[in-house]
């Protein structure tokens, strides 16, 4: 669920950047070079201004909603970790496991010596 919301959040962020860059500023005629005059016939007689502004506002609201949802997921993840650092009891149990060095005082671990030949 969290991954799906994160992917949606990234897609909305990219769409917001594109929409903001497409919008024509107040009194700026640079948008006409990229088809600003033809957009009036596609989006209606008022042009693309109101359509793009409304759609940008809608995407901004969705961006804030996904941001808050991801923040809520992050705060919930801090309370009960699903994986990662093990409990202290598990670490103590692993430390209590005997090793080869422990309790081997009565066992002879010396390697046999090779006999020298008398040649």
């Amino acid at each position: 669920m969290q991954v799906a919301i994160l992917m949606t959040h990234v897609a909305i962020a990219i769409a917001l950047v594109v929409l903001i860059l497409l919008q024509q500023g107040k009194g700026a005629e640079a948008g006409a070079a990229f088809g600003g005059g033809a957009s009036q016939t596609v989006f209606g007689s008022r042009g693309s201004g109101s359509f793009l502004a409304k759609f940008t506002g809608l995407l901004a609201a969705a961006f804030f909603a996904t941001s808050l949802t991801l923040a809520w997921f992050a705060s919930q993840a801090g309370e009960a970790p699903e994986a990662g650092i093990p409990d202290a009891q598990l670490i103590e149990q692993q430390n209590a496991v005997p090793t080869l060095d422990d309790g081997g005082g009565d066992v002879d671990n010396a390697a046999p010596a090779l006999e020298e030949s008398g040649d």
Side-chain angles (χ1 to χ4, degrees):
M1 178 78 175
Q2 185 176 359
V3 174
I5 293 174
L6 181 63
M7 297 301 289
T8 305
H9 185 72
V10 170
I12 289 172
I14 293 170
L16 268 173
V17 168
V18 170
L19 276 176
I20 289 171
L21 290 176
L22 280 177
Q23 291 183 23
Q24 187 174 1
K26 301 279 184 191
E29 296 298 325
F34 301 108
S39 66
Q40 291 181 356
T41 59
V42 175
F43 296 111
S45 62
R46 289 185 44 165
S48 64
S50 63
F51 172 75
L52 290 179
K54 287 180 183 179
F55 196 58
T56 303
L58 178 71
L59 282 180
F63 183 80
F64 288 135
T66 55
S67 296
L68 290 174
T69 305
L70 288 172
W72 183 78
F73 276 129
S75 70
Q76 296 300 317
E79 292 178 5
E82 297 174 7
I85 301 173
D87 292 331
Q89 293 176 350
L90 181 63
I91 294 172
E92 291 298 324
Q93 288 175 355
Q94 289 177 350
N95 288 341
V97 174
T99 61
L100 293 176
D101 296 335
D102 295 340
D106 58 344
V107 178
D108 184 20
N109 288 335
L114 296 175
E115 295 179 14
E116 294 184 24
S117 60
D119 299 309

